């Protein structure tokens, strides 16, 4: 009696672990009599091959990407397979190998169906596969008369050999990203002022946050940087007198911007993206009464974003029959260097200059993917 107890809801993700001792998988090579326990014959049946099949979630790194997806496994064990040692022969071993070849054929068939099916149907797929396999095994037993009809046995061997040669023995690994994705970074921000702006404001530092939407290799994002700075001149006269600053003022620098770019390098462990954008740069003072004042202006951005990817992972979820059956997650070191060109028309004499901004932090990206 084959192990129909495996055909339960517990088989959705993982059933009996194939790491158990004394097991034999098909890729380990042909069966030997060491895979059987001595036992007495039962009427015409002088041997019995007990096989197991199930579904497990398997992790494997391929080309720098960690795949986590369901795979089918099958094996036999000497603990429950038996043979009457009075009937040991090469033909009898070939008969059991023929049954094991049939098990491998159906394992591959099940494995090929898992990726394009909902996780909620995996138990049904396993159940249907085991029923078909049991029917074939029964036909092998009857048509070969438990291995004694060598002509029928050879026909089954040739038929199964053809099926095995036309199928893939190992799970395939590959993916196709969905068009849209998103990412978010949190960075430490270092700001250097140059040109005439360097005569007005000190260099600063703080924190920045960036949010991106990706479309294939193109990105569209916006960011916010908040830091600290100081006024360098005794008085910074502005067009609006209410926004004038003095040397003793502690300033908050605000950098608000939107940008777009294109990843010229997009690999499993590295991404390089030049980008351009436009935003607002302001220096504000907030006295004790709480109201803020200070100059600001619009400015162009241009720079490059480097991502060193620590974790690149494809996780199969299969919650529906949707083509995109997986989630693609990335965790990376984000290094962003960009400059701005500024003309502070809100300051009298309209000083021009630039800033250099270095952002270093951690980024997280997520998108949908088709796991092949």
């Amino acid at each position: 009696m084959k192990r129909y107890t495996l055909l339960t809801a517990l088989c959705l993700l993982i059933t009996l672990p194939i790491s158990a001792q004394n097991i034999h998988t098909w890729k380990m090579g042909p069966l030997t009599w060491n895979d059987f326990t001595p036992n007495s014959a039962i009427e015409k049946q002088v041997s019995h091959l007990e096989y197991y099949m199930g579904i497990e979630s398997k992790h494997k790194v391929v080309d720098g990407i960690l795949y986590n997806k369901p795979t089918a496994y099958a094996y036999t064990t000497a603990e429950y397979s038996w043979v009457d040692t009075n009937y040991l022969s090469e033909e009898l071993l070939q008969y059991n190998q023929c049954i094991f070849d049939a098990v491998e054929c159906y394992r591959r068939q099940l494995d090929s169906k898992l990726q394009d099916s909902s996780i909620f149907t995996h138990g049904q797929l396993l159940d249907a596969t085991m029923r078909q396999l049991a029917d074939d095994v029964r036909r092998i037993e009857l048509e070969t008369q438990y291995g004694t009809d060598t002509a029928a046995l050879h026909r089954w061997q040739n038929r199964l050999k053809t099926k095995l040669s036309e199928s893939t023995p190992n799970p395939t690994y590959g993916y196709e990203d969905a068009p849209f994705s998103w990412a978010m970074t949190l960075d430490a921000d270092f700001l250097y002022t140059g040109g005439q702006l360097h005569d007005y404001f000190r260099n600063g530092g703080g924190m920045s946050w960036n949010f991106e939407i990706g479309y294939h290799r193109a990105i569209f994002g916006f960011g916010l940087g908040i830091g600290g700075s100081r006024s360098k001149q005794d008085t910074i006269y502005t067009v609006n007198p209410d926004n004038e600053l003095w040397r003793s003022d502690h300033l908050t620098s605000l950098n608000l911007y939107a940008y777009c770019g294109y990843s010229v390098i997009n690999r499993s462990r590295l991404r390089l993206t030049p980008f351009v954008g436009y935003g607002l740069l302001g220096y504000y003072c907030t006295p004790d009464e709480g109201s803020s004042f200070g100059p600001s202006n619009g400015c162009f951005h241009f720079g490059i974003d480097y991502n060193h990817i620590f974790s690149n992972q494809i996780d199969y979820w299969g919650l529906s029959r949707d083509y995109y059956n997986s989630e693609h997650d990335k965790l990376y070191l984000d290094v962003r260097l960009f400059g701005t060109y500024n003309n502070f028309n809100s300051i009298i004499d309209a000083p021009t200059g630039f800033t250099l901004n270095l952002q270093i932090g951690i980024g997280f990206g997520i998108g949908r993917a088709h796991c092949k």
Side-chain angles (χ1 to χ4, degrees):
M1 181 66 181
K2 302 304 182 271
R3 291 287 170 148
Y4 275 98
T5 55
L6 293 176
L7 311 179
T8 64
L10 295 177
C11 295
L12 291 176
L13 293 178
I14 181 171
T15 55
L16 295 178
I18 62 174
S19 59
Q21 296 180 351
N22 300 323
I23 68 170
H24 190 124
T25 63
W26 189 88
K27 67 179 180 179
M28 293 170 62
L31 295 173
T32 69
W33 290 125
N34 292 328
D35 297 308
F36 297 82
T37 300
N39 197 12
S40 300
I42 302 176
E43 297 180 352
K44 293 182 179 181
Q45 187 174 1
V46 297
S47 68
H48 171 72
L49 182 73
E50 187 79 1
Y51 55 80
Y52 300 83
M53 187 178 296
I55 302 171
E56 66 174 349
S57 182
K58 189 173 183 180
H59 303 266
K60 187 172 183 179
V61 178
V62 179
D63 296 329
I65 298 176
L66 175 63
Y67 290 86
N68 179 14
K69 69 174 190 175
T71 59
Y73 67 84
Y75 64 91
T76 183
T77 174
E79 185 176 0
Y80 297 105
S81 298
W82 57 266
V83 64
D84 189 327
T85 55
N86 295 315
Y87 297 91
L88 295 183
S89 67
E90 183 62 28
E91 291 76 14
L92 184 59
L93 188 60
Q94 290 180 12
Y95 160 74
N96 284 282
Q97 181 65 49
C98 184
I99 294 177
F100 203 33
D101 289 347
V103 173
E104 176 63 14
C105 284
Y106 279 97
R107 184 201 67 81
R108 296 183 188 183
Q109 182 184 59
L110 174 62
D111 196 65
S112 66
K113 293 179 179 179
L114 291 177
Q115 312 310 320
D116 297 321
S117 62
S118 166
I119 191 173
F120 300 113
T121 64
H122 285 181
Q124 299 173 11
L125 283 174
L126 178 59
D127 191 8
T129 301
M130 290 293 284
R131 285 198 302 268
Q132 295 170 13
L133 172 59
D135 290 342
D136 265 0
V137 170
R138 186 56 180 164
R139 281 193 289 269
I140 294 174
E141 292 173 343
L142 296 178
E143 292 180 18
T144 67
Q145 298 182 40
Y146 294 100
T148 58
D149 187 337
T150 56
L153 178 60
H154 291 160
R155 287 195 298 269
W156 271 102
Q157 286 177 320
N158 292 332
R159 186 185 309 171
L160 293 170
K161 182 179 179 181
T162 300
K163 286 186 177 181
L164 289 171
S165 65
E166 294 174 348
S167 60
T168 303
N170 299 314
T172 58
Y173 291 90
Y175 72 95
E176 177 188 343
D177 279 325
F180 288 98
S181 62
W182 67 269
M184 183 176 65
T185 65
L186 182 64
D187 305 279
D189 196 350
F190 306 93
L191 183 147
Y192 170 81
T193 56
Q196 294 177 347
L197 289 183
H198 193 66
D199 299 329
Y200 285 78
F201 305 106
R202 294 185 182 275
N203 302 329
M207 299 294 296
S208 61
W209 174 79
N210 297 284
F211 178 83
E212 296 176 353
I213 296 176
Y215 180 73
H216 295 295
R217 287 195 172 194
I219 62 167
F220 306 89
F222 63 89
L224 172 65
I226 300 177
S229 184
R230 294 288 295 273
S231 174
K232 295 179 71 174
Q233 295 196 3
D234 290 336
T235 305
I236 297 179
Y237 296 101
T238 59
V239 175
N240 183 350
D242 293 337
N243 290 327
E244 292 179 355
L245 301 176
W246 290 269
R247 187 182 184 91
S248 60
D249 288 340
H250 293 271
L251 305 180
T252 297
S253 62
L254 177 67
N255 203 349
L256 181 65
Y257 49 88
Y259 58 92
C260 61
Y262 186 83
S263 298
V264 294
I265 299 177
N266 189 13
R267 301 173 183 168
S268 61
R269 294 296 175 183
L270 181 150
R271 187 177 73 164
L272 194 65
T273 308
F275 63 89
V276 296
Y278 190 83
L280 174 74
L281 176 64
Y283 290 90
Y284 302 99
C285 179
T286 304
D288 294 338
E289 56 269 22
S291 60
S292 297
F293 58 87
S296 62
N297 83 299
C299 53
F300 288 99
H301 290 62
F302 48 92
I304 193 165
D305 185 24
Y306 168 78
N307 300 148
H308 179 74
I309 303 172
F310 298 119
S311 174
N312 195 340
Q313 185 165 325
I314 303 290
D315 289 315
Y316 174 90
W317 53 6
L319 298 180
S320 68
R321 293 183 179 272
D322 189 2
Y323 178 75
Y324 296 108
N325 56 12
S326 303
E327 185 177 279
H328 192 176
D329 300 332
K330 296 179 181 178
L331 181 66
Y332 53 88
L333 170 68
D334 181 64
V335 180
R336 190 182 305 254
L337 179 64
F338 67 92
T340 68
Y341 176 76
N342 304 271
N343 185 352
F344 266 87
N345 293 318
S346 57
I347 298 177
I348 295 178
D349 297 332
T352 61
F354 64 90
T355 68
L356 287 178
N357 300 262
L358 176 63
Q359 298 176 352
I360 302 177
I362 294 295
F364 175 76
I366 187 172
R368 299 182 67 191
H370 173 68
C371 186
K372 300 178 181 179

